[in-house]
Amino acid sequence: MTGAPKSDGGVARRQKQPFGLPRWVMGVIPIVLLVLLVGGFVMTTPLAGLQTGEPLPDVGISQTSLPNDHTIRLQVTNNAPEPITISQVRIDEANWGFSMSGGDNTLAPRESATIDIPYNWMEGYDYDVGLIAADGTTFPVTIEAAQLTTGLTGQVVGTLAFVGFLIGVVPIALGMLWFPFMQSMSEKWLNAVLAFSAGVLGFLIFDAGFDVFESAGDVPSVFSGSMIAVLGIAGSWLVLQAIMDWRNDGEESRLSIAYSAGLAIGLHNLAEGLAIGTAFATGRSALGVFLIIGFMIHNVSEGPVVVAPLADGERPPMRHFVALGLLAGAPAILGG
């Protein structure tokens, strides 16, 4: 008899908010105040009196491209807390003229810009490019084996879409053709096939993970490349975990697991498409061809992973196989 009134009183106390504000407002207010506090600290200089010297200039060159045979293009970002003026550009120890987007040659803190250098480069040669700030600091970058950067045209989009189809949908469909054979396999051998596929993906986790953090070092420091990598890994993990928690129990559980596996592999193939698209966009066509062949061979092993949850029961309608193949493979087209 005494438990119910206490529970009701507890509910009433939880629902009563200061100033009559809704509960969600009271939940959001601390977050908003924290954002304002951090933003105010970043935008102002409360520690100016503690500085013992001038901040070092820091310009990050995030990308180099060769849009035509007489232009070198650089994407730059000011990582320093003070404005930086680019006064000169040097190519192979010789000074060259340049133009910077925005109308002047000064970069505000965290500002990005494009620098175009009129230079008649030759395909296959290496070029040492250096940006020289007003105080004499040099920010170097090397363009290796110069090649024309592919522009965005209808033909390029169509070609990359076809490439995405080849590396994503086709190999996974080929792997899914093992489904009738997998139905006749014993549980021991079926687990062995899945273990092999898991081993391939496990290798990629570590191999790609090391490469991600190595590449994050080339991202302008103002963007915190390593933290972006951590957020990407954690975010994809949480998305997949949330979808797995939604799957139904009972008769539809096997199909739900198959769709969850298809979605996970689809996110993975989205990244593969990005890798190939990036290789061609930066003029590294040899690397792009190597990735295409490697991904086609590797993605065949992903087909059995998608259909394995269905192998120990009655075969579902064909539309589910089509949907699973597109879910797992089509994101490679978007990535490209």
Side-chain angles (χ1 to χ4, degrees):
M1 296 298 294
T2 58
K6 290 182 180 179
S7 177
D8 292 341
V11 172
R13 285 193 297 272
R14 287 196 300 270
Q15 291 179 344
K16 185 178 180 180
Q17 303 296 329
F19 310 108
L21 296 174
R23 288 184 61 203
W24 69 269
V25 173
M26 297 305 301
V28 170
I29 285 178
I31 299 176
V32 173
L33 293 177
L34 177 62
V35 170
L36 294 176
L37 177 63
V38 174
F41 183 85
V42 171
M43 300 304 296
T44 59
T45 55
L47 303 181
L50 299 180
Q51 294 181 355
T52 58
E54 292 294 328
L56 296 176
D58 183 8
V59 174
I61 303 175
S62 57
Q63 184 180 352
T64 62
S65 58
L66 304 170
N68 51 60
D69 59 4
H70 56 269
T71 302
I72 294 177
R73 179 168 294 166
L74 309 178
Q75 304 289 339
V76 299
T77 302
N78 180 9
N79 302 318
E82 299 292 339
I84 295 177
T85 299
I86 304 299
S87 60
Q88 297 179 23
V89 170
R90 182 172 296 169
I91 300 179
D92 291 341
E93 303 302 326
N95 293 336
W96 288 87
F98 68 98
S99 61
M100 181 184 295
S101 61
D104 58 18
N105 299 337
T106 299
L107 289 169
R110 298 181 295 277
E111 181 183 5
S112 298
T114 300
I115 295 179
D116 285 338
I117 309 167
Y119 186 86
N120 294 321
W121 55 272
M122 297 181 64
E123 186 173 355
Y125 284 80
D126 295 346
Y127 294 95
D128 294 323
V129 183
L131 302 180
I132 304 177
D135 64 353
T137 307
T138 301
F139 308 99
V141 64
T142 299
I143 301 175
E144 299 179 354
Q147 293 184 4
L148 185 67
T149 302
T150 305
L152 183 62
T153 64
Q155 180 180 1
V156 171
V157 172
T159 300
L160 289 177
F162 179 68
V163 167
F165 180 77
L166 283 181
I167 68 167
V169 177
V170 173
I172 289 179
L174 292 177
M176 293 172 66
L177 291 178
W178 275 315
F179 178 74
F181 179 72
M182 295 173 66
Q183 284 188 303
S184 63
M185 296 173 65
S186 65
E187 183 176 354
K188 177 180 69 175
W189 284 106
L190 183 60
N191 289 335
V193 172
L194 293 178
F196 175 79
S197 298
V200 172
L201 294 175
F203 168 78
L204 290 175
I205 289 175
F206 291 98
D207 184 60
F210 293 140
D211 289 342
V212 163
F213 287 102
E214 181 179 352
S215 299
D218 298 330
V219 176
S221 59
V222 70
F223 297 133
S224 301
S226 297
M227 184 55 64
I228 292 177
V230 171
L231 291 176
I233 295 171
S236 60
W237 181 287
L238 293 175
V239 167
L240 293 174
Q241 186 61 52
I243 293 173
M244 289 292 291
D245 290 342
W246 286 344
R247 75 173 190 261
N248 297 322
D249 295 328
E251 296 297 327
E252 296 182 353
S253 61
R254 296 184 301 110
L255 198 57
S256 300
I257 295 174
Y259 274 104
S260 299
L263 177 63
I265 291 175
L267 292 175
H268 162 70
N269 286 333
L270 173 69
E272 292 182 352
L274 285 170
I276 292 176
T278 300
F280 283 105
T282 55
R284 304 170 69 184
S285 56
L287 174 62
V289 172
F290 175 78
L291 292 176
I292 290 172
I293 296 174
F295 288 152
M296 280 195 295
I297 297 174
H298 151 68
N299 286 347
V300 173
S301 67
E302 296 173 351
V305 176
V306 176
V307 297
L310 310 175
D312 61 348
E314 184 178 353
R315 183 177 69 84
M318 183 59 65
R319 66 178 184 274
H320 288 295
F321 289 94
V322 175
L324 286 169
L326 292 176
L327 178 64
I333 301 174
L334 178 63

